Amino acid sequence: MLLILLSWIYILFTTINLGFGFDRYIGLKNKNFAITSILGLFSVTILASVWAIFGRINIEFHGFLLILNLLLFFKFQKEIIENYKSFWIELQSLSKTLKFFLFTITLMIVAQCSSIPYVIDNESYYIQTIKWINEYGFVKGIVNLHFFLGQTSGWHITQSVFNFSFLYSNFNDLSGFVMLLGTIFSIQKLQEFYQNKNSNYLLIGLFPITSIFLFQFISAPSPDIPVYVLSFIIFFYFLENFKKCTVEVFNLIVILILFTLYIKNTTLTFVLIPIVLLVQNFKILSKNLSKSFLLASIVLALFVTKNMIICGSPVFPSKLFSSLTMDYSIPDSIESFYYDQLKYYGYFVDLQQYNSMSAFDLFLRWLSLPKLNGLFNKLSILLIIITPFFIYKFQNKKAVWILYILMVLQLIILFATSPQYRFFMNFILFFSLFCFICLFQNKRIINTVLLLSLVPTLLILFLPINLNRFSNYKFMMELSNFSTENIVFPHENTKNNTAFEVIQLENLKYNSPIQNDFFWASGNGALPCVNKDQIAYFKKYFYIIPQQRTKDLKDGFYAKKINEND
């Protein structure tokens, strides 16, 4: 815990400085402390993405970052210090209940981040993705070594900066940091709601209640967490500024959406938000689009460049732009295999069952899934059905209807790709809270609900709970709990203690976990690391093996076609 707190102090100092400098350059006129830090995270992500094209994110990058950090601080020293003072005054002005809640949830977030990482994707590709960036930057054709490494998220680039790999190996908790920023922002808005009675402030103010569902995922750098946090903030600014949106707010919304898209491209529907705002406020915004356009172009260029290097194609995973692929791009047969798995994974059926079922059969299957999957799937459809009634009855506003349409579009897209509820959870949480505030806006009830939400979160934090009765995923059964052993030092960034064996496959020497918990497992093995069962599977069924392009790992990998009899 203690080491995480110390690292977060530095991260906060860095992101406030960079966020303030970025704000000055773009001219956002932002006054919110948490938003300044988020802008800093965005700035670091962009800088690290450019750096990773040419080299590793390691001590060299931190030297550059420290110099930039200090230059910005000394240039804007008075304004930045005033920002800290203003934030401290805002904290002091909080009611006793909100102070207690914020203090308690902060300790709980740090405690959870110091516990064993729970997310199974952490063991399949989070750790390895970040390690590759730390040691080599973006690596050509790395998708050929382990397919999931092609999913390199902007959030993993950010985490590769703030895991301080050259100093310590156990920092893996940036998702907890951004959740804390989202909580601070929400509590500030809840305090303002008690004064202005604006329901939009209450809606964002209740975001901390979602910690009941999100807490287990913050001990690993899951891209879902920043997406959920940023979604609530984006929705808030959209609702508040729909009728009259200034250039500054529009640019801020564009930046937050660009950050969200760079973290997870499943949020593509968010692109409609600035388009709607531009149409609604065309006279005000049409003459001041240069900065937003420039930022969008930079992010798009980085997104395409990143994918061209690590995947050999502009978009991953996608069969689009096939004419632009590199010689180290993933073979069509492997890409088709991934698409097939992606399609039927959300329905918990195999490919043969999937192909034999109609669209309606698949929908019924998806809706009737047991445990958490079925629960959230049913809740999604319930919200689609009942939300229009709540909007019409309580907040019949065009902006709310637009967000509802986005929710419907998002669900339709998921049905066409991969209907996993985690890709829809931001809308589930947002509109669940929306329906709640339509019925309850009393201060005493709100404070009670807020405090009661701490109870199940505390239970999750300290009590061992078996998820077998709740989850369909056999690798996500046991929740990670806080241990007194982690008061100072956080748990290592993996839950697996397996040893690794070194295997030679022609010119590729790789590490494979000896205890193979699941097909995609790689854990925290030394680079290059991939499960030997995965290599054997693709060799047997697709006659393809990964090979190094040269003797230097930095030069990457390609997929070698072998004879059927090899």
Side-chain angles (χ1 to χ4, degrees), residues 68 70 83 188 262 283 305 413 440 483 489 528:
L68 180 60
L70 294 175
N83 204 348
Q188 289 175 318
Y262 197 56
K283 290 184 179 180
T305 303
I413 291 173
F440 304 102
S483 170
F489 300 97

Side-chain angles (χ1 to χ4, degrees), residues 32 86-106 180 183-195 205 208 443 447 450:
N32 186 276
S86 176
F87 175 61
W88 180 248
I89 292 172
E90 288 183 32
L91 290 182
Q92 288 180 317
S93 67
L94 295 176
S95 66
K96 291 182 179 179
T97 300
L98 295 185
K99 284 180 182 176
F100 171 79
F101 179 87
L102 184 57
F103 176 77
T104 305
I105 197 69
T106 299
L180 179 58
T183 301
I184 291 171
F185 181 86
S186 300
I187 293 299
Q188 289 175 318
K189 298 306 174 186
L190 185 57
Q191 176 74 12
E192 292 181 53
F193 164 75
Y194 292 147
Q195 299 166 0
K443 181 178 180 179
N447 283 341
L450 201 64

Side-chain angles (χ1 to χ4, degrees), residues 113-131:
C113 286
S114 67
S115 68
I116 303 172
Y118 167 73
V119 184
I120 194 63
D121 285 342
N122 188 59
E123 308 299 331
S124 62
Y125 75 100
Y126 290 179
I127 297 172
Q128 289 294 312
T129 296
I130 294 165
K131 184 176 286 192

